[in-house]
Amino acid sequence: MRRVARLILASCFYYSGLVAFCRWRMRRQGPHLLILNYHRASAGSILQHMRYLQRHYRILHLDEALEELYHVSQGNKKSLLRTPLVLTFDDGYHDNYTHAFKAAVELQVPITIFLIPGYLDSGDFFWWGEGKRLVAQTTVEEILFEGHIYHLRTVEAQQQLSALIDMRLRTASSVAGRDQFLSQIRQALAISEQDYCRSDLKDDNIPLTWCEVLKMQQSGLVCFGAHTMHHPVLSYLSDPSEVHYEVARSREILEARLGNTIRTFAYPIGRTEHIGEEALKAVREAMYTWAVTTTKGIATPQSDPYRLERVLVDVRRHWLLIAAETSGIWSLLAPLWKPFINEGADI
């Protein structure tokens, strides 16, 4: 019901001209940069999103947009043009190639993808989808896990175990510990290595390949940033040296493989509680120029270059919702509609 209500509101805002007014208002308030935060590119219409955004914003590569933002002068004529916007994709899912890159080529729209070299090398499934995938694969009917018996013939027990696995993976204090836990849970669920690697479950929680990355780079439409070596939640790592390794080594690998300087970094998960002071220190020491979070907001010349805010979007959303989200109208009218519509709802 919330989704329908938000779509109706977004339609009213768009066709009444309020969205256009908010875009104009943003331009008049001085230099801004909208950094959109996607992850997946399938199960929706990234092409429709790009078409709308291309009509109403100046879409740039992230490096180019940030150079402009931090070097803008008061008399810069670009400030009178459409607001600059960047399309970023975290993690480097395979569908960033099959869907996002395909749409980018069709419309000649630049995009930026944050890569995880460890997954590019291994081709493994991303850890954050493993709880659901492993529980779906098992033929075990019950399992004793951390003192609790899960009867896996019931949907409720499957969901509980899946959530617990994901929580344990997310809060791992080291990458080695996370991998060891994954191995143990596969063994407990009686999933063989052959079963684990099979792809007949139509699971697309897989990374890009280096070949796909290089092809995208050659097009000139895609640039890349670093997203750690193995995507741990940095604030949970117990060893500061591992934090620094994850941050710095990912840049070194990407620069060696791509032949380009990597200037941007995206924190895994990316909220303040997931970053930590050690990660901020590591990003500076690794000589990145900028780093992006998942905290909601719009960048300005006053923004901390190592805590840049983004606007979280989802390819499954209707383009009218994207129009409203990028215009800033939700925030502008929040005091009026917040009592009735939950802004934080998944739409």
PDB file of all heavy atoms in Angstrom, residues 52-65:
ATOM      1  N   TYR A  52      15.216   9.205 -18.353  1.00  0.00           N
ATOM      2  CA  TYR A  52      14.712  10.359 -17.603  1.00  0.00           C
ATOM      3  C   TYR A  52      15.874  11.223 -17.112  1.00  0.00           C
ATOM      4  O   TYR A  52      15.873  12.446 -17.281  1.00  0.00           O
ATOM      5  CB  TYR A  52      13.866   9.912 -16.405  1.00  0.00           C
ATOM      6  CG  TYR A  52      13.591  11.075 -15.477  1.00  0.00           C
ATOM      7  CD1 TYR A  52      12.611  12.008 -15.787  1.00  0.00           C
ATOM      8  CD2 TYR A  52      14.372  11.285 -14.334  1.00  0.00           C
ATOM      9  CE1 TYR A  52      12.392  13.116 -14.985  1.00  0.00           C
ATOM     10  CE2 TYR A  52      14.167  12.388 -13.528  1.00  0.00           C
ATOM     11  CZ  TYR A  52      13.168  13.301 -13.861  1.00  0.00           C
ATOM     12  OH  TYR A  52      12.977  14.413 -13.078  1.00  0.00           O
ATOM     13  N   LEU A  53      16.862  10.612 -16.495  1.00  0.00           N
ATOM     14  CA  LEU A  53      17.972  11.356 -15.910  1.00  0.00           C
ATOM     15  C   LEU A  53      18.778  12.088 -16.975  1.00  0.00           C
ATOM     16  O   LEU A  53      19.233  13.218 -16.758  1.00  0.00           O
ATOM     17  CB  LEU A  53      18.872  10.402 -15.116  1.00  0.00           C
ATOM     18  CG  LEU A  53      18.198   9.742 -13.902  1.00  0.00           C
ATOM     19  CD1 LEU A  53      19.072   8.615 -13.360  1.00  0.00           C
ATOM     20  CD2 LEU A  53      17.889  10.761 -12.823  1.00  0.00           C
ATOM     21  N   GLN A  54      18.919  11.474 -18.133  1.00  0.00           N
ATOM     22  CA  GLN A  54      19.660  12.113 -19.220  1.00  0.00           C
ATOM     23  C   GLN A  54      18.943  13.376 -19.719  1.00  0.00           C
ATOM     24  O   GLN A  54      19.588  14.351 -20.119  1.00  0.00           O
ATOM     25  CB  GLN A  54      19.855  11.122 -20.361  1.00  0.00           C
ATOM     26  CG  GLN A  54      20.782  11.608 -21.472  1.00  0.00           C
ATOM     27  CD  GLN A  54      20.916  10.575 -22.568  1.00  0.00           C
ATOM     28  OE1 GLN A  54      19.920   9.982 -23.016  1.00  0.00           O
ATOM     29  NE2 GLN A  54      22.151  10.309 -22.992  1.00  0.00           N
ATOM     30  N   ARG A  55      17.626  13.375 -19.674  1.00  0.00           N
ATOM     31  CA  ARG A  55      16.855  14.539 -20.134  1.00  0.00           C
ATOM     32  C   ARG A  55      16.986  15.728 -19.192  1.00  0.00           C
ATOM     33  O   ARG A  55      16.909  16.876 -19.619  1.00  0.00           O
ATOM     34  CB  ARG A  55      15.368  14.188 -20.276  1.00  0.00           C
ATOM     35  CG  ARG A  55      15.023  13.385 -21.503  1.00  0.00           C
ATOM     36  CD  ARG A  55      13.539  13.455 -21.806  1.00  0.00           C
ATOM     37  NE  ARG A  55      12.700  13.054 -20.690  1.00  0.00           N
ATOM     38  CZ  ARG A  55      12.295  11.822 -20.459  1.00  0.00           C
ATOM     39  NH1 ARG A  55      12.662  10.844 -21.274  1.00  0.00           N
ATOM     40  NH2 ARG A  55      11.518  11.546 -19.423  1.00  0.00           N
ATOM     41  N   HIS A  56      17.167  15.453 -17.896  1.00  0.00           N
ATOM     42  CA  HIS A  56      17.038  16.525 -16.913  1.00  0.00           C
ATOM     43  C   HIS A  56      18.303  16.828 -16.112  1.00  0.00           C
ATOM     44  O   HIS A  56      18.313  17.796 -15.343  1.00  0.00           O
ATOM     45  CB  HIS A  56      15.891  16.200 -15.952  1.00  0.00           C
ATOM     46  CG  HIS A  56      14.564  16.092 -16.643  1.00  0.00           C
ATOM     47  ND1 HIS A  56      13.913  17.189 -17.151  1.00  0.00           N
ATOM     48  CD2 HIS A  56      13.794  15.009 -16.932  1.00  0.00           C
ATOM     49  CE1 HIS A  56      12.771  16.804 -17.705  1.00  0.00           C
ATOM     50  NE2 HIS A  56      12.671  15.491 -17.594  1.00  0.00           N
ATOM     51  N   TYR A  57      19.355  16.031 -16.268  1.00  0.00           N
ATOM     52  CA  TYR A  57      20.597  16.260 -15.537  1.00  0.00           C
ATOM     53  C   TYR A  57      21.788  16.120 -16.479  1.00  0.00           C
ATOM     54  O   TYR A  57      21.683  15.557 -17.567  1.00  0.00           O
ATOM     55  CB  TYR A  57      20.738  15.257 -14.382  1.00  0.00           C
ATOM     56  CG  TYR A  57      19.662  15.383 -13.336  1.00  0.00           C
ATOM     57  CD1 TYR A  57      18.490  14.622 -13.414  1.00  0.00           C
ATOM     58  CD2 TYR A  57      19.788  16.275 -12.268  1.00  0.00           C
ATOM     59  CE1 TYR A  57      17.488  14.751 -12.453  1.00  0.00           C
ATOM     60  CE2 TYR A  57      18.794  16.406 -11.310  1.00  0.00           C
ATOM     61  CZ  TYR A  57      17.645  15.647 -11.413  1.00  0.00           C
ATOM     62  OH  TYR A  57      16.651  15.778 -10.476  1.00  0.00           O
ATOM     63  N   ARG A  58      22.927  16.646 -16.042  1.00  0.00           N
ATOM     64  CA  ARG A  58      24.188  16.423 -16.755  1.00  0.00           C
ATOM     65  C   ARG A  58      24.861  15.205 -16.132  1.00  0.00           C
ATOM     66  O   ARG A  58      25.385  15.292 -15.030  1.00  0.00           O
ATOM     67  CB  ARG A  58      25.107  17.644 -16.633  1.00  0.00           C
ATOM     68  CG  ARG A  58      24.662  18.843 -17.436  1.00  0.00           C
ATOM     69  CD  ARG A  58      25.744  19.923 -17.463  1.00  0.00           C
ATOM     70  NE  ARG A  58      26.038  20.436 -16.136  1.00  0.00           N
ATOM     71  CZ  ARG A  58      27.226  20.379 -15.549  1.00  0.00           C
ATOM     72  NH1 ARG A  58      28.241  19.802 -16.147  1.00  0.00           N
ATOM     73  NH2 ARG A  58      27.403  20.895 -14.348  1.00  0.00           N
ATOM     74  N   ILE A  59      24.836  14.088 -16.820  1.00  0.00           N
ATOM     75  CA  ILE A  59      25.392  12.855 -16.262  1.00  0.00           C
ATOM     76  C   ILE A  59      26.881  12.785 -16.572  1.00  0.00           C
ATOM     77  O   ILE A  59      27.295  12.891 -17.734  1.00  0.00           O
ATOM     78  CB  ILE A  59      24.662  11.618 -16.815  1.00  0.00           C
ATOM     79  CG1 ILE A  59      23.153  11.726 -16.528  1.00  0.00           C
ATOM     80  CG2 ILE A  59      25.228  10.354 -16.180  1.00  0.00           C
ATOM     81  CD1 ILE A  59      22.343  10.544 -17.026  1.00  0.00           C
ATOM     82  N   LEU A  60      27.682  12.607 -15.525  1.00  0.00           N
ATOM     83  CA  LEU A  60      29.143  12.620 -15.641  1.00  0.00           C
ATOM     84  C   LEU A  60      29.738  11.384 -14.976  1.00  0.00           C
ATOM     85  O   LEU A  60      29.087  10.714 -14.159  1.00  0.00           O
ATOM     86  CB  LEU A  60      29.715  13.872 -14.956  1.00  0.00           C
ATOM     87  CG  LEU A  60      29.171  15.228 -15.397  1.00  0.00           C
ATOM     88  CD1 LEU A  60      29.713  16.313 -14.473  1.00  0.00           C
ATOM     89  CD2 LEU A  60      29.562  15.525 -16.834  1.00  0.00           C
ATOM     90  N   HIS A  61      30.992  11.092 -15.312  1.00  0.00           N
ATOM     91  CA  HIS A  61      31.758  10.138 -14.514  1.00  0.00           C
ATOM     92  C   HIS A  61      31.998  10.750 -13.138  1.00  0.00           C
ATOM     93  O   HIS A  61      32.059  11.978 -12.988  1.00  0.00           O
ATOM     94  CB  HIS A  61      33.111   9.844 -15.171  1.00  0.00           C
ATOM     95  CG  HIS A  61      33.016   8.949 -16.374  1.00  0.00           C
ATOM     96  ND1 HIS A  61      32.384   7.737 -16.346  1.00  0.00           N
ATOM     97  CD2 HIS A  61      33.482   9.102 -17.646  1.00  0.00           C
ATOM     98  CE1 HIS A  61      32.471   7.164 -17.529  1.00  0.00           C
ATOM     99  NE2 HIS A  61      33.123   7.981 -18.334  1.00  0.00           N
ATOM    100  N   LEU A  62      32.171   9.915 -12.135  1.00  0.00           N
ATOM    101  CA  LEU A  62      32.326  10.412 -10.778  1.00  0.00           C
ATOM    102  C   LEU A  62      33.551  11.302 -10.619  1.00  0.00           C
ATOM    103  O   LEU A  62      33.471  12.385 -10.023  1.00  0.00           O
ATOM    104  CB  LEU A  62      32.396   9.241  -9.793  1.00  0.00           C
ATOM    105  CG  LEU A  62      32.475   9.610  -8.310  1.00  0.00           C
ATOM    106  CD1 LEU A  62      31.289  10.477  -7.888  1.00  0.00           C
ATOM    107  CD2 LEU A  62      32.553   8.355  -7.441  1.00  0.00           C
ATOM    108  N   ASP A  63      34.697  10.877 -11.138  1.00  0.00           N
ATOM    109  CA  ASP A  63      35.906  11.692 -11.023  1.00  0.00           C
ATOM    110  C   ASP A  63      35.710  13.071 -11.641  1.00  0.00           C
ATOM    111  O   ASP A  63      36.081  14.098 -11.057  1.00  0.00           O
ATOM    112  CB  ASP A  63      37.086  10.994 -11.699  1.00  0.00           C
ATOM    113  CG  ASP A  63      37.610   9.810 -10.915  1.00  0.00           C
ATOM    114  OD1 ASP A  63      36.926   9.378  -9.965  1.00  0.00           O
ATOM    115  OD2 ASP A  63      38.696   9.308 -11.249  1.00  0.00           O
ATOM    116  N   GLU A  64      35.131  13.101 -12.836  1.00  0.00           N
ATOM    117  CA  GLU A  64      34.906  14.356 -13.542  1.00  0.00           C
ATOM    118  C   GLU A  64      33.957  15.257 -12.749  1.00  0.00           C
ATOM    119  O   GLU A  64      34.187  16.465 -12.613  1.00  0.00           O
ATOM    120  CB  GLU A  64      34.321  14.066 -14.923  1.00  0.00           C
ATOM    121  CG  GLU A  64      34.023  15.301 -15.743  1.00  0.00           C
ATOM    122  CD  GLU A  64      33.327  14.975 -17.055  1.00  0.00           C
ATOM    123  OE1 GLU A  64      33.019  13.778 -17.295  1.00  0.00           O
ATOM    124  OE2 GLU A  64      33.080  15.917 -17.831  1.00  0.00           O
ATOM    125  N   ALA A  65      32.902  14.675 -12.221  1.00  0.00           N
ATOM    126  CA  ALA A  65      31.909  15.454 -11.477  1.00  0.00           C
ATOM    127  C   ALA A  65      32.499  16.032 -10.198  1.00  0.00           C
ATOM    128  O   ALA A  65      32.220  17.190  -9.826  1.00  0.00           O
ATOM    129  CB  ALA A  65      30.702  14.584 -11.151  1.00  0.00           C
TER     130      ALA A  65
END
